[in-house]
Amino acid sequence: MKPIKVGLLGLGVVGGGTWKVLNQNADEIARRAGRRIEVAAVAVRDVAKAKELVGDHIHITTDGMDVVLNPDIDVVVELVGGDTLAKDWVMKAIEQGKHVVTANKALLATHGNEVFAAAQKQNVMVAFEAAVAGGIPIIKAMREGLTANRIQWVAGIINGTTNFILSEMRSQGLSFADALADAQRLGYAEADPTFDIEGVDAAHKLSLLSSLAFGVPVQFDKAHIEGITTLAAEDIAHAERLGYTVKLLGITRAREQGIELRVHPTLVPSESMLANVQGAMNAVMVHGDAVGSTVYYGAGAGELPTASAVVADLVDVARLVDADHDHRVPYLAFQQNAMADTPIMAMDDVQSAYYLRLRVEDRPGVLADIARILADTSISIGSMFQEPAVNDETDIIFLTHEAREGDILNAILKIQTLDFVRSPVTRLRVETL
Ligand code: NDP
Ligand code: HSE
């Protein structure tokens, strides 16, 4: 069979890895795909640097549109990132009838509905395994392996940088700032790690997982997002003492009122699988009504792991390039004409258990006043402990039973007005999954 011709936009960490995997495993990949997969053109900014990797026999340009418009190219692989130029190239490639493979979660989280609608119209594939959890084949699992199930929830550690930082804070007792500096020194975090530490990167990925789980459009704009920048080392230590580990989780869950879509630091039981995902690794738990809980673990980023996902998508494209469009796997697991309009729930209506830490003056009546407010706002206390007082101040930590987020916020507002409360109340969610 005729080889499939690839145009590679970007030859950085993921693009370079993709080039390497396609070359080092070329024969094995051809045996699986049924044809060879060949890179025919590359777009980068620095041509000289690209030549060092791919040599002289591949066409190298600084204009991505050259690759997109090249009539010899069957599949455009977008590995540049961002949602400006990348969007123009992806949309133009689709318009040209070319298939697209991308690792760009930011693009798909913000413009995915438009991209998939255009691709549907043009009968082309858009594959994005590398966009969520890097080398873990979670898209494949959710689109195909779990297709028999009514999925009930998905919860995942889907950002390696923040998981590395949280692991360091826990194991070394480091502050957030020191752990972030370590992550940057070791090359895990970007020079500008904002999207990682503010939870935005995880929310990009979660929005895609939510669509795959529940057959709804991609709704990143409705996600509730909290990062880890304000997390204190002492809360990680207190959580530990209570038998919990703090992880940045992306959670999407089907409820009667709609779909939860939220990213935030979360206390999970220390013996649970997610609690034991260390360093920059990722893990995703998917709970289906038939299969129960399943867990997918592996490298969520990096040159070769991410390339593994990109090349798997290329093999899928190579296998299905001649198939009728209606017989390919739908972009978001559900047929485009069968998508649901289930609403994303307001965060106030989400139910969770909570960890609350209050710094208070150590005097009689303090606990009684706090307990009264919690009772008046329908919040049931699961357990509590008090730290030894220092200079007449002490920390009281409560674990609550499940409560409505709106009620918890209301209670915190009231507690905050009490004259013995010495600093803002710390609130973290607790999930037993
Ligand atoms: P890099 O910054 O390492 O590479 C980007 C590449 O794009 C470089 O080759 C760069 O060229 C090229 N490029 C940038 N701007 C232009 C332009 N205007 N015209 C032509 N080429 C351009 O990024 P990554 O490889 O890390 O990330 C790529 C994508 O993969 C992103 O969407 C990212 O979110 C996603 N991703 C990344 C993962 C990772 O582990 N890094 C994991 C999962 C997804 P030059 O080399 O000349 O500078
Ligand atoms: N910045 C991302 C992370 C890279 O830390 O997981 C992969 O998407």
Side-chain angles (χ1 to χ4, degrees), residues 244 249 251 253 255 260 262 264 266-269 350-353 402 429-433:
Y244 292 91
L249 288 195
I251 300 172
R253 190 192 313 251
R255 297 278 197 189
E260 295 178 4
R262 49 192 172 109
H264 49 70
T266 313
L267 272 68
V268 290
V350 166
Q351 299 263 348
S352 172
E402 268 211 356
R429 299 173 191 86
V430 183
E431 293 284 345
T432 47
L433 303 170

Side-chain angles (χ1 to χ4, degrees), residues 350-402:
V350 166
Q351 299 263 348
S352 172
Y354 290 83
Y355 160 104
L356 302 175
R357 177 170 60 84
L358 289 73
R359 170 127 333 149
V360 294
E361 197 180 329
D362 192 17
R363 64 166 160 82
V366 164
L367 197 53
D369 286 356
I370 297 166
R372 172 55 42 216
I373 291 178
L374 292 176
D376 287 348
T377 32
S378 314
I379 294 156
S380 169
I381 299 167
S383 60
M384 65 140 296
F385 76 87
Q386 182 174 336
E387 285 284 283
V390 178
N391 299 332
D392 289 335
E393 272 187 15
T394 183
D395 274 353
I396 303 181
I397 286 110
F398 293 95
L399 288 180
T400 76
H401 290 301
E402 268 211 356

Side-chain angles (χ1 to χ4, degrees), residues 105 131 158-162 188 190 196 201 205 282 300-301:
K105 58 264 178 171
I158 44 184
N159 182 270
T161 304
T162 44
Y188 291 123
E190 308 287 324
D196 292 317
D201 177 72
K205 296 166 181 166
N282 281 196

